[in-house]
Amino acid sequence: MNRKIALITGATAGIGYETALLLAQNNFNLILTGRRKERLESFKEKLESSFSCQVLILCFDIRIKTDTETALNSIPDKWRKIDILINNAGLAAGLAPINSADVDDWEAMIDTNIKGLLYTTRIISPWMIERQGGHIINISSIAGKESYPNGSVYCGTKSAVSAISKSMRIELMPFGIKVTTIAPGAVDTEFSLVRFHGDQERASQVYNGFTPLSGKDIAETILFVVTRPTHVNIDDLLIMPTNQASARDFNRK
Ligand code: NDP
Ligand code: 8X3
């Protein structure tokens, strides 16, 4: 395989989906993960027929260590030359204060956003070290830079992603491996629908009165980041809608 290989976690929707689409258009082969098997299968078919790239799909729940290990260790040898790992799978669950939030929501966020990212990186990074190269992109959030009320655990997980990412960068630098943290503001994906447990009405209110980022905006940023020359590492990127100036400041019309 002459094309570069990118592994994207959480490619069935939103940022991961749009990034897969754009990387396929730009001559990457892809390893795509997520829990929704039918989406992965139809996406693979679409990408392979539209862009003549090769796509390997892995269906697993990233919260479950053994499932993640089994799926990633099943990657055939010819696919293990992973050039780019995009740790994207993640979620917010609920928006509630510390005294009444649902503990199951907290566990889902911690297990997905922090532990899933760690399980994945623990398996893929040694393969990159062996090849003395690669690029890991960790999707954090504005919520990792600024905590907001009712978001303690989501903000905590994204703050953890940024902190882990900084250590990774230092640890992996001697092996020629790049590490980039990308922190988006509001992106209109399935994110809010998931956060509000399927409440469409509440989810749509999040983006009322301003134009949010799209998954494609983040995909284009990722494409820029992964196509810099070998000596350039984009370390830490905050990307916001024009009408969002902080986690809580929006200019809504
Ligand atoms: P979406 O809900 O649209 O997509 C989330 C993706 O993560 C899906 O492909 C989903 O796949 C996957 N995923 C979630 N939980 C699991 C799990 N347990 N196991 C495997 N895969 C999982 O959201 P976004 O695209 O917006 O989110 C992508 C990342 O961007 C997240 O880390 C999020 O925190 C971050 N982010 C989002 C922002 C936003 O405003 N949208 C802003 C800043 C950061 P499936 O359900 O098939 O398993
Ligand atoms: C998603 C953006 O502001 O809802 O990470 O936390 S926010």
Side-chain angles (χ1 to χ4, degrees):
M1 277 193 278
N2 291 326
R3 292 170 178 238
K4 286 193 169 180
I5 299 173
L7 188 161
I8 306 172
T9 66
T12 57
I15 294 170
Y17 181 95
E18 293 295 338
T19 303
L21 199 56
L22 193 61
L23 292 185
Q25 286 164 6
N26 282 275
N27 302 317
F28 283 81
N29 285 332
L30 299 167
I31 305 174
L32 305 180
T33 87
R35 287 166 301 181
R36 285 171 284 183
K37 193 160 183 263
E38 314 73 48
R39 282 202 191 190
L40 286 171
E41 284 169 350
S42 63
F43 196 23
K44 171 183 162 72
E45 206 176 300
K46 173 179 163 156
L47 292 172
E48 288 184 336
S49 60
S50 308
F51 308 112
S52 43
C53 59
Q54 291 179 26
V55 179
L56 177 72
I57 53 173
L58 299 173
C59 184
F60 62 93
D61 187 331
I62 208 164
R63 292 173 296 182
I64 303 170
K65 181 162 77 93
T66 48
D67 289 4
T68 304
E69 287 171 349
T70 302
L72 296 177
N73 283 321
S74 79
I75 294 174
D77 278 350
K78 70 167 188 164
W79 281 94
R80 289 192 178 200
K81 195 190 79 54
I82 293 167
D83 298 285
I84 294 154
L85 164 63
I86 306 176
N87 280 315
N88 166 74
L91 81 163
L95 188 66
I98 201 80
N99 51 299
S100 63
D102 186 334
V103 173
D104 289 343
D105 282 348
W106 288 350
E107 285 180 342
M109 291 186 276
I110 291 166
D111 291 353
T112 312
N113 301 355
I114 305 178
K115 292 167 76 178
L117 178 148
L118 290 171
Y119 301 152
T120 304
T121 309
R122 179 65 185 81
I123 291 175
I124 307 300
S125 58
W127 301 349
M128 289 182 168
I129 288 174
E130 210 171 289
R131 295 178 34 245
Q132 299 280 298
H135 193 162
I136 300 175
I137 298 190
N138 295 315
I139 306 297
S140 178
S141 167
I142 179 68
K145 295 187 182 281
E146 296 171 34
S147 288
Y148 53 79
N150 303 324
S152 56
V153 173
Y154 181 66
C155 296
T157 63
K158 288 302 180 177
S159 191
V161 169
S162 295
I164 290 164
S165 206
K166 280 194 185 123
S167 294
M168 268 190 207
R169 167 88 183 108
I170 300 163
E171 291 163 8
L172 298 175
M173 181 172 63
F175 306 104
I177 298 169
K178 300 184 187 187
V179 179
T180 301
T181 315
I182 298 183
V187 191
D188 188 2
T189 60
E190 293 179 6
F191 177 85
S192 293
L193 196 61
V194 171
R195 164 167 257 175
F196 297 121
H197 302 292
D199 183 340
Q200 193 88 57
E201 172 64 24
R202 206 167 162 205
S204 66
Q205 283 167 14
V206 174
Y207 311 111
N208 268 353
F210 75 105
T211 306
L213 298 170
S214 64
K216 189 164 175 249
D217 292 323
I218 307 303
E220 285 170 348
T221 306
I222 291 173
L223 179 64
F224 175 80
V225 163
V226 301
T227 50
R228 292 313 84 213
T230 311
H231 70 286
V232 177
N233 182 65
I234 309 282
D235 226 79
D236 192 8
L237 259 180
L238 174 63
I239 168 165
M240 302 285 273
T242 303
N243 280 313
Q244 181 182 6
S246 76
R248 298 165 75 184
D249 290 290
F250 294 85
N251 181 33
R252 296 182 197 266
K253 304 281 185 212

